[in-house]
Amino acid sequence: AIIFLRQKRKTWKQVKSILDESNKAYQEAEGISFDYSFDPYAMINHLQLSGVLGEPVKNHHQLVEKAQEAARRSFRKAHDFSSAVMVADAEVAQFLLDPLPAKFNKDKSSDMLIHMYVEAVKDVPRSNRQLSSAVEQLQYLVSFLDKSVPKGDKDGVENSKKARVLSAVAVGLSKL
């Protein structure tokens, strides 16, 4: 989907088709067992893509909570960057799935998400590649949001606002 997005001749419909397939694959791979071996990676990606595509997810608040709980549990076992960053990635999924509040404040939203990332990874050893990967993931979400107009957002205003927030979060995370 990212390659299609970068090719200027590809339409949003073509990009969306690939994202829909990816979203379905992540949903099928998530295996909602929530036991101690549960890996929230697929679920978080499914939730984030659903938010970008404007697809509602039943009980998404509960799923985000379970994903964060599993990421924290995984972090306690492995103490690795990937597990730590998934806690904040799940919060991004919730941000994407929730409608913006009537009194939306871009700076407040981005500051809250940046704080989530800082708290999640501040004392965790990481390589430049790992941090770069987390930043790139946010930038990809921004690109998809900028291109898409999901259901219920006829003029794309909500996605545009969410894109600006995630863009600021990517910049903030890149400074760690």
Side-chain angles (χ1 to χ4, degrees), residues 6-7 14 36 41 154 162:
R6 289 181 180 165
Q7 295 175 346
Q14 292 168 309
Y36 283 100
Y41 175 81
K154 291 179 178 47
K162 288 181 177 183

Side-chain angles (χ1 to χ4, degrees), residues 24-156:
K24 184 178 178 185
Y26 280 126
Q27 186 177 18
E28 290 172 1
E30 64 191 20
I32 309 176
S33 65
F34 298 126
D35 62 13
Y36 283 100
S37 65
F38 175 68
D39 181 351
Y41 175 81
M43 177 183 287
I44 292 168
N45 284 309
H46 159 63
L47 294 171
Q48 287 181 346
L49 285 178
S50 292
V52 166
L53 295 166
E55 298 291 334
V57 176
K58 186 178 178 182
N59 299 325
H60 73 269
H61 291 278
Q62 179 185 12
L63 295 175
V64 165
E65 211 173 280
K66 291 292 185 184
Q68 288 176 320
E69 181 181 302
R72 286 183 183 105
R73 188 171 44 249
S74 176
F75 177 75
R76 284 191 297 274
K77 286 184 203 173
H79 204 266
D80 68 343
F81 181 80
S82 297
S83 297
V85 81
M86 279 194 282
V87 174
D89 286 343
E91 198 69 32
V92 167
Q94 184 161 305
F95 170 73
L96 291 169
L97 286 162
D98 286 344
L100 293 176
K103 294 184 179 185
F104 170 72
N105 181 310
K106 176 188 133 333
D107 294 333
K108 184 176 177 182
S109 295
S110 59
D111 287 349
M112 184 273 300
L113 289 170
I114 291 168
H115 179 74
M116 286 287 300
Y117 276 102
V118 168
E119 287 300 307
V121 303
K122 68 181 176 185
D123 296 324
V124 180
R126 62 184 172 269
S127 68
N128 287 338
R129 182 174 173 227
Q130 288 172 312
L131 183 60
S132 177
S133 178
V135 171
E136 285 175 4
Q137 173 76 6
L138 290 166
Q139 291 169 335
Y140 294 145
L141 292 172
V142 169
S143 296
F144 295 140
L145 287 166
D146 280 339
K147 191 83 168 168
S148 72
V149 180
K151 301 171 190 169
D153 188 16
K154 291 179 178 47
D155 54 5

